[in-house]
Amino acid sequence: EALLGRIVDASRRPFLYRDLGVPDTTEGRFESLALHAVLVLRRLRRLPPPADAVAQDLVDALFRHLDRS
């Protein structure tokens, strides 16, 4: 949950929308969140255990977050 919180915060940084042209819409916010999550998951894939368990926990937390949204 803490890692997901940091990913969500990073995906909502104003400069992404203001300076980089990410649309400030539901779809734009989802795409930013998905991009940030994928980048973290790709990094976790390169790390030794327990990174694989952390990655699965992150995916589970991400889907819970999306379900609540």
Side-chain angles (χ1 to χ4, degrees), residues 33-50:
L33 175 61
L35 172 64
H36 283 80
V38 165
L39 292 173
V40 171
L41 289 167
R42 286 182 64 168
R43 178 67 176 124
L44 286 170
R45 186 174 48 195
R46 295 180 171 180
L47 298 175

Side-chain angles (χ1 to χ4, degrees), residues 12 17 22-34 66 69:
R12 292 183 179 168
Y17 304 92
V22 175
D24 192 6
T25 62
T26 302
E27 185 176 337
R29 288 176 179 251
F30 171 77
E31 289 177 355
S32 181
L33 175 61
L66 292 172
S69 297

Side-chain angles (χ1 to χ4, degrees), residues 47-67:
L47 298 175
D52 53 344
V54 172
Q56 185 61 58
D57 289 345
L58 175 58
V59 169
D60 294 344
L62 178 60
F63 278 95
R64 284 192 302 273
H65 173 79
L66 292 172
D67 283 344

